[in-house]
Amino acid sequence: MQTQGMPPQAMPGQSAPAQSGSISPEMRQDIETGLRYPLPADFMSRAAQTLQALQAANIRPPNSTQLSLRATIAQIASIPGVPEILNAHGFTPETFLMGMTAFGMTLAATNGQALPAGLPAPNPANVTLFHAHPDQVTTLMQAMGAPPGQN
């Protein structure tokens, strides 16, 4: 992962929805977990502030695109300074990564990206949250380094 906004493609499972071919059982499980994970109502604003704090501290987590969620959570927890910044914004390494994964998976699914066959739809409450707060979706995407207009 990189904090150059931690782009969606740097989150576990983020490259998988674009692939319709074979994904490992572990990756499928991670994608399903991300699709089902419930985002707290204030997630997007806190996550954007957290990413800004990580960037301000010049913390650049390593690339984790090929790691499982569990391995990525452990990796993030081991980076000096990250747990403290996450805690200051009300996150643990697990809740932050799970939230970012759910955000990315919901964003992909609501933007029409085809998910591999057999995967569940995103958590309906997350979709409702996205529709209720499009400005927060955009703000978090910008904090992640995604160009405006991609929501």
Side-chain angles (χ1 to χ4, degrees), residues 9 15 23 48 69 72 75 128 147 151:
Q9 66 272 21
S15 59
I23 58 174
L69 284 173
T72 304
Q75 187 178 53
T128 299
N151 65 336

Side-chain angles (χ1 to χ4, degrees), residues 59-138:
I59 295 175
R60 301 188 184 286
N63 186 318
S64 61
T65 54
Q66 299 303 314
L67 298 179
S68 69
L69 284 173
R70 199 176 299 265
T72 304
I73 290 165
Q75 187 178 53
I76 288 172
S78 71
I79 299 169
V82 170
E84 294 79 9
I85 290 172
L86 296 179
N87 186 50
H89 292 90
F91 292 112
T92 65
E94 180 176 11
T95 60
F96 181 71
L97 184 69
M98 289 304 304
M100 292 302 292
T101 300
F103 177 82
M105 299 302 301
T106 303
L107 186 65
T110 58
N111 280 338
Q113 279 190 351
L115 297 174
L119 288 173
N123 183 318
N126 294 348
V127 174
T128 299
L129 188 65
F130 273 45
H131 290 304
H133 302 286
D135 55 325
Q136 290 180 15
V137 172
T138 300

Side-chain angles (χ1 to χ4, degrees), residues 135-151:
D135 55 325
Q136 290 180 15
V137 172
T138 300
T139 298
L140 181 50
M141 287 176 60
Q142 288 171 341
M144 293 168 64
Q150 285 194 355
N151 65 336

Side-chain angles (χ1 to χ4, degrees), residues 5-90:
M6 288 190 193
Q9 66 272 21
M11 291 185 291
Q14 283 311 110
S15 59
Q19 303 169 350
S20 58
S22 62
I23 58 174
S24 71
E26 184 175 37
M27 181 66 75
R28 179 173 287 277
Q29 172 92 29
D30 285 351
I31 293 169
E32 288 180 14
T33 300
L35 286 166
R36 289 186 176 122
Y37 188 82
L39 292 172
D42 65 345
F43 174 78
M44 292 181 283
S45 60
R46 286 190 300 126
Q49 293 167 0
T50 303
L51 289 173
Q52 292 165 352
L54 289 166
Q55 291 167 354
N58 201 28
I59 295 175
R60 301 188 184 286
N63 186 318
S64 61
T65 54
Q66 299 303 314
L67 298 179
S68 69
L69 284 173
R70 199 176 299 265
T72 304
I73 290 165
Q75 187 178 53
I76 288 172
S78 71
I79 299 169
V82 170
E84 294 79 9
I85 290 172
L86 296 179
N87 186 50
H89 292 90

